[in-house]
Amino acid sequence: MKRKITLFLILSLLITSLAACKDPNKNSEINNGSNDEVIEDDEGKKDNNKDEKITITVQVEKEWREYYEKAADRVKDRYPNANIEFIEKSTVEHIELLDNINPEDEKVADLFTLPLERLYDMEKKYVLGQLDAKSIAENLNISDHYDKGLGAQFKVDDRYMAFPMNIKTLLNFVNTKNAQANDIDTVKDIEFTELSNEDILIPLFDIWYGISFMNATNIELLTKVEPDEFYSDMTRYFSELSVDEEETFRAIFNYWYYSQKEDSKLFSKDEYMDFMDTSFKTGGNTSLRPGSIKSKKHLSKLAEGEINILPIEKLVVMGNPLLQWKDGDGLAINTRIKDDNDKKEITKAMIEEIVNRDYALEFFKETGKILENMDLETYINSDLNERDKKLIKVSYKSYEDAEKRPASKEWEKVSATWEKAILSWNTLNPQTVEEAYEILQYEFKDMINSIK
């Protein structure tokens, strides 16, 4: 009897000791039908189960969706627990949405396209999350020259806020039938001042087009001279301009002046697009129309397929080639996921697959977009049609010759200042280039003062 009691006491002590060894602040629960244990801490927070779905939303334009879905499938091959949902909106619509609602709203995506010109504005509104862009560049084998191109352009201070998606620059589109009918020689350089107003249509009130004239003669619309001090060539008097600069502004003024005389709608912000489309159609008066890479499909349709594509520098003003910016779109993440490492990892993988150089041809075919860090020969030696090959070749040429786009939050004021000044000519009706320039000078002086 005494041995039984002794054995009982030993067993009791052993059970008590084992119970005491268990962490009193932890409890475990077993998933039904699963061997995976989910650990819960004293605050009731659960660690991610390896089978738990991680959902991100991605903004996509309708025409891009098939390509994006294939990219998402490749991400899911790497991350089986990734759930990628799409918000089908154009880039413009999605940016407008971000302008008007909180980035926490589910109507906006975790990953979206960001035009370079909206970088500082979106960053200032706390819409963007910081990206580990250099790591993405390393995974894509483009890290050696990443900071020499658009990658550096998408930085704010020392933070990468988007990853380059595609290049953008200005090209010359030629309706070949109209050019032949209007006796426009596109083999040699095309002198802007020798063309009639309808031979070429450029909405010069838009800085995207106007800057190519400024770059032609190195006119600085805004530059930083000290950490907190800015300067613009436009604050000079007309008499202080060089001969080339004077002639550039004379060309712009004459283009506006005779457009007004002919009752053209080119300088009407509400009507210029319809006017340009009608005039560029085959049988119309317009032979040349500068536009972006994505304009090709639309302009080709207007020209009934009879279209040629030339570098923007083929067009000269007083012998000086027009030069655009090195511009582009980026892929950015919503600030709401900046602290969610799981979602950031999936969005990072999605970025890598969207701009994966192994799929550069599919990317172009399905989105019309051209990668920055890509070997031209990959496109040239492909099954693309000859017109698309020429578009890509000309795009790289114009992009290579283009000026680096200014990157500062203050530069956002330049576009509005330029547009306001040029469009004000419609009501102020200057009769000489000096009068027209004085209006520009006044607006830019006002802009510089507002920055100070």
Side-chain angles (χ1 to χ4, degrees):
M1 180 72 177
K2 187 179 286 185
R3 286 184 61 194
K4 288 182 178 179
I5 293 172
T6 302
L7 182 60
F8 175 77
L9 289 173
I10 291 171
L11 288 171
S12 297
L13 285 170
L14 181 61
I15 292 169
T16 304
S17 298
L18 288 171
C21 288
K22 184 176 180 180
D23 187 347
N25 294 320
K26 299 277 186 178
N27 65 76
S28 66
E29 65 183 54
I30 306 297
N31 288 334
N32 292 332
S34 170
N35 292 325
D36 292 333
E37 188 180 62
V38 180
I39 306 299
E40 186 175 300
D41 63 20
D42 53 338
E43 294 179 352
K45 293 182 180 178
K46 295 182 181 180
D47 292 337
N48 282 330
N49 185 296
K50 66 181 180 181
D51 295 323
E52 183 180 347
K53 289 293 184 183
I54 300 169
T55 299
I56 65 164
T57 55
V58 180
Q59 171 260 328
V60 62
E61 298 202 5
K62 183 178 180 180
E63 294 79 9
W64 311 346
R65 183 152 188 157
E66 186 175 346
Y67 178 82
Y68 269 52
E69 286 174 345
K70 292 174 184 174
D73 287 340
R74 296 194 294 271
V75 172
K76 291 172 190 175
D77 287 340
R78 294 162 57 185
Y79 298 92
N81 60 339
N83 179 43
I84 300 170
E85 299 176 353
F86 294 106
I87 295 176
E88 196 172 285
K89 284 188 181 298
S90 73
T91 299
V92 172
E93 289 173 331
H94 192 263
I95 291 295
E96 286 177 351
L97 200 59
L98 282 167
D99 280 332
N100 293 294
I101 64 176
N102 192 301
E104 296 284 340
D105 196 300
E106 291 183 357
K107 292 177 184 175
V108 295
D110 295 320
L111 176 64
F112 54 90
T113 306
L114 176 71
L116 180 55
E117 66 265 24
R118 294 303 306 273
L119 171 66
Y120 280 89
D121 180 43
M122 287 289 112
E123 193 274 337
K124 188 168 56 179
K125 292 178 179 177
Y126 302 105
V127 166
L128 308 177
Q130 186 174 348
L131 273 179
D132 184 7
K134 293 303 287 287
S135 173
I136 297 173
E138 286 174 9
N139 292 341
L140 295 172
N141 295 317
I142 57 173
S143 58
D144 289 347
H145 47 271
Y146 182 72
D147 280 327
K148 297 175 183 176
L150 279 175
Q153 293 289 86
F154 279 107
K155 284 176 72 174
V156 177
D157 299 324
D158 61 346
R159 295 168 296 131
Y160 294 95
M161 307 308 291
F163 193 89
M165 180 184 186
N166 58 277
I167 62 170
K168 294 195 297 190
T169 193
L170 203 57
L171 310 173
N172 268 315
F173 292 92
V174 183
N175 183 317
T176 54
K177 284 191 173 180
N178 288 358
Q180 187 176 10
N182 297 323
D183 198 26
I184 305 293
D185 184 357
T186 59
V187 176
K188 63 179 183 179
D189 286 346
I190 305 164
E191 175 57 56
F192 177 77
T193 59
E194 294 174 1
L195 299 171
S196 75
N197 269 47
E198 282 194 287
D199 282 337
I200 182 168
L201 292 180
I202 313 180
L204 284 175
F205 62 85
D206 186 337
I207 194 63
W208 171 252
Y209 299 92
I211 195 64
S212 58
F213 283 74
M214 299 297 97
N215 287 342
T217 45
N218 298 311
I219 297 171
E220 291 278 5
L221 296 183
L222 184 68
T223 186
K224 186 180 285 190
V225 291
E226 296 290 344
D228 296 313
E229 186 178 344
F230 291 84
Y231 167 79
S232 172
D233 282 336
M234 297 299 298
T235 59
R236 295 174 298 165
Y237 291 99
F238 190 79
S239 59
E240 297 177 291
L241 303 182
S242 70
V243 173
D244 276 355
E245 290 170 338
E246 282 187 10
E247 292 305 316
T248 296
F249 284 109
R250 195 180 308 280
I252 293 172
F253 168 73
N254 286 339
Y255 190 62
W256 167 82
Y257 184 80
Y258 290 105
S259 292
Q260 296 301 97
K261 285 265 187 181
E262 296 163 8
D263 197 27
S264 162
K265 304 300 181 186
L266 186 58
F267 285 82
S268 169
K269 194 175 178 181
D270 297 326
E271 301 173 281
Y272 78 99
M273 283 300 296
D274 287 341
F275 169 74
M276 292 199 304
D277 282 353
T278 300
S279 193
F280 191 72
K281 286 180 180 178
T282 299
N285 296 324
T286 300
S287 303
L288 300 163
R289 182 166 161 182
S292 65
I293 296 166
K294 70 177 183 180
S295 303
K296 187 263 253 183
K297 185 177 180 180
H298 174 63
L299 297 183
S300 182
K301 185 178 179 180
L302 294 176
E304 299 174 357
E306 299 293 332
I307 200 165
N308 192 16
I309 306 162
L310 304 173
I312 190 61
E313 55 269 27
K314 191 75 173 173
L315 186 63
V316 300
V317 55
M318 301 306 292
N320 298 306
L322 299 193
L323 296 171
Q324 238 288 335
W325 279 324
K326 285 181 170 67
D327 206 346
D329 294 318
L331 290 162
I333 65 170
N334 193 314
T335 186
R336 71 176 174 226
I337 68 166
K338 65 183 176 67
D339 296 321
D340 189 324
N341 290 331
D342 290 331
K343 288 193 175 188
K344 283 176 70 175
E345 189 171 354
I346 301 301
T347 54
K348 177 182 173 183
M350 188 65 183
I351 291 171
E352 290 173 2
E353 292 301 338
I354 290 172
V355 296
N356 188 332
R357 294 192 295 172
D358 291 341
Y359 300 94
L361 291 176
E362 288 83 352
F363 187 52
F364 175 76
K365 288 176 183 178
E366 298 188 39
T367 70
K369 294 183 178 295
I370 302 170
L371 294 176
E372 179 188 24
N373 294 297
M374 196 66 203
D375 181 9
L376 175 61
E377 294 305 309
T378 300
Y379 293 108
I380 300 303
N381 297 328
S382 72
D383 62 352
L384 292 172
N385 64 52
E386 292 306 311
R387 184 170 292 145
D388 281 341
K389 289 179 182 179
K390 183 167 186 179
L391 171 72
I392 294 169
K393 185 176 181 179
V394 169
S395 296
Y396 275 130
K397 175 69 169 64
S398 287
Y399 187 80
E400 181 184 342
D401 293 339
E403 298 286 335
K404 186 177 178 181
R405 186 185 178 107
S408 72
K409 60 179 184 243
E410 291 81 11
W411 236 94
E412 295 168 7
K413 295 177 179 287
V414 173
S415 179
T417 300
W418 176 268
E419 180 179 299
K420 179 183 177 184
I422 298 291
L423 291 180
S424 71
W425 291 353
N426 295 340
T427 51
L428 298 175
N429 199 27
Q431 294 300 298
T432 66
V433 63
E434 290 84 359
E435 290 177 5
Y437 179 84
E438 190 176 334
I439 295 166
L440 279 161
Q441 181 197 31
Y442 174 83
E443 293 295 345
F444 273 86
K445 279 186 172 180
D446 190 50
M447 181 193 78
I448 291 292
N449 289 333
S450 72
I451 294 174
K452 293 175 182 178

